[in-house]
Amino acid sequence: QVQLVESGGGLVQPGGSLRLSCEASGFTVDYYAIGWFRQAPGKEREGVSCISPGSGGNVYAYHSHSVKGRFTISKDRAKNTVYLEMNSLKPEDTATYYCAAMETDVGCSAYRISYNYWGQGTQVTVSS
């Protein structure tokens, strides 16, 4: 049974940091693209970051323009977990963050429709 479980959300002040985790079960993250999406109240769910299938030097990471330079996506093969390190957080980063898995041999996608499996989400609130 495929399952994705996010954790690590919370309340943080502007300029602070959080690390989100997406633990996968029922499949191996090396063989799927894993994306992070977020959805703020009243807004569409948007793609934030994605890490391609593969391992070592064959892994590629992508970040949206709004988070590039502040967020970093990575994966731990031994723990079958993908992380999203978020630094220099801003109030506009406030949203529910979801991880998702896409069956593919290569690459990533920023589109929700491309993803086959989703987690339940974790709330991130950036406020003073």
Side-chain angles (χ1 to χ4, degrees):
Q1 180 180 357
V2 172
Q3 192 173 14
L4 296 165
V5 179
E6 302 98 333
S7 61
L11 173 64
V12 63
Q13 292 187 341
S17 299
L18 282 174
R19 187 178 78 159
L20 304 184
S21 300
C22 173
E23 184 175 359
S25 58
F27 71 99
T28 303
V29 296
D30 275 356
Y31 301 113
Y32 285 70
I34 306 296
W36 282 98
F37 289 74
R38 67 186 181 186
Q39 188 167 19
K43 293 190 176 182
E44 293 289 320
R45 191 172 298 187
E46 63 169 345
V48 174
S49 301
C50 178
I51 191 163
S52 69
S55 60
N58 294 319
V59 174
Y60 298 92
Y62 303 88
H63 300 282
S64 68
H65 178 74
S66 61
V67 305
K68 206 166 189 177
R70 300 188 298 122
F71 290 13
T72 303
I73 190 170
S74 63
K75 59 182 171 181
D76 184 326
R77 300 173 67 199
K79 296 182 178 180
N80 211 33
T81 298
V82 173
Y83 301 99
L84 185 67
E85 186 76 36
M86 306 187 297
N87 298 314
S88 302
L89 283 161
K90 305 175 182 180
E92 51 264 44
D93 294 318
T94 295
T96 301
Y97 283 71
Y98 300 88
C99 66
M102 177 175 69
E103 295 182 49
T104 181
D105 292 330
V106 295
C108 275
S109 172
Y111 300 102
R112 293 177 56 182
I113 195 172
S114 300
Y115 289 81
N116 306 95
Y117 307 104
W118 291 83
Q120 83 289 350
T122 185
Q123 177 66 35
V124 172
T125 303
V126 185
S127 175
S128 55

